[in-house]
Amino acid sequence: ELPVAAGDRCVEIGSSPGGSCLALLERGLLVTGIDPAEMAPAVLAHPAFTHIRARAKDVKRGVFRDCRWLVMDANVAPNYTLDTLDGVLTHGGARPEGLVLTLKLTEPGLAAKLPAIADRLHRYGYRRVRMRQLAFNRQEVCAVVSERT
């Protein structure tokens, strides 16, 4: 239900090896991937892709200002994902129309914190927060956040 369109600018934090970047590129998006790891050669070769080989916290915040979509799929605990997001949205001046976040539930007790995580995402000025458990090890949740207030 996200109105993703060709020509939209997307930033993905945790982009390596590049599967989701490639899917976005094939839909005509302009994609900036942020990850200290290497990207797949096919992704690097795409003319609409830019790779910033660094951790998100080390990237200049201006990279995020004009993005319409922000995607995060880093192999870190949810608090780190949300703290990184906070840096981008609060201190970085980014105002993306939507977010797609993969939250890694690194321990069983984190599932109980999902309502608080949803509340935190609402406080960034988004009306709609949807969370779904992903099939991978049943330890990942995808949060799709949209409809800015």
Side-chain angles (χ1 to χ4, degrees):
E1 297 175 25
L2 295 175
V4 177
D8 285 354
R9 192 160 171 280
C10 176
V11 175
E12 181 177 4
I13 297 171
S15 58
S16 178
S20 60
C21 287
L22 192 56
L24 294 166
L25 292 164
E26 288 172 350
R27 287 168 176 77
L29 277 76
L30 307 171
V31 180
T32 299
I34 300 172
D35 200 305
E38 291 185 33
M39 298 296 297
V43 177
L44 287 172
H46 199 288
F49 181 75
T50 302
H51 183 213
I52 299 175
R53 195 167 184 174
R55 294 179 300 171
K57 70 178 190 172
D58 299 327
V59 174
K60 292 184 180 187
R61 295 299 176 218
V63 167
F64 301 99
R65 278 201 193 100
D66 296 326
C67 74
R68 184 166 183 214
W69 308 104
L70 180 63
V71 177
M72 293 180 69
D73 187 8
N75 287 318
V76 295
N79 272 352
Y80 184 85
T81 297
L82 295 171
D83 289 348
T84 300
L85 182 64
D86 188 60
V88 171
L89 298 179
T90 304
H91 307 296
R95 303 292 291 168
E97 186 171 326
L99 314 169
V100 179
L101 313 172
T102 302
L103 303 171
K104 314 293 184 178
L105 303 182
T106 54
E107 55 188 74
L110 290 173
K113 296 183 179 185
L114 290 174
I117 290 171
D119 287 343
R120 186 172 175 180
L121 294 170
H122 280 292
R123 286 194 302 271
Y124 289 120
Y126 293 95
R127 186 170 302 141
R128 189 173 195 181
V129 176
R130 291 178 148 189
M131 292 188 181
R132 297 289 184 268
Q133 184 178 19
L134 301 176
F136 182 75
N137 283 339
R138 297 187 301 172
Q139 295 179 332
E140 293 184 347
V141 169
C142 181
V144 178
V145 184
S146 62
E147 296 182 19
R148 293 202 59 84
T149 55

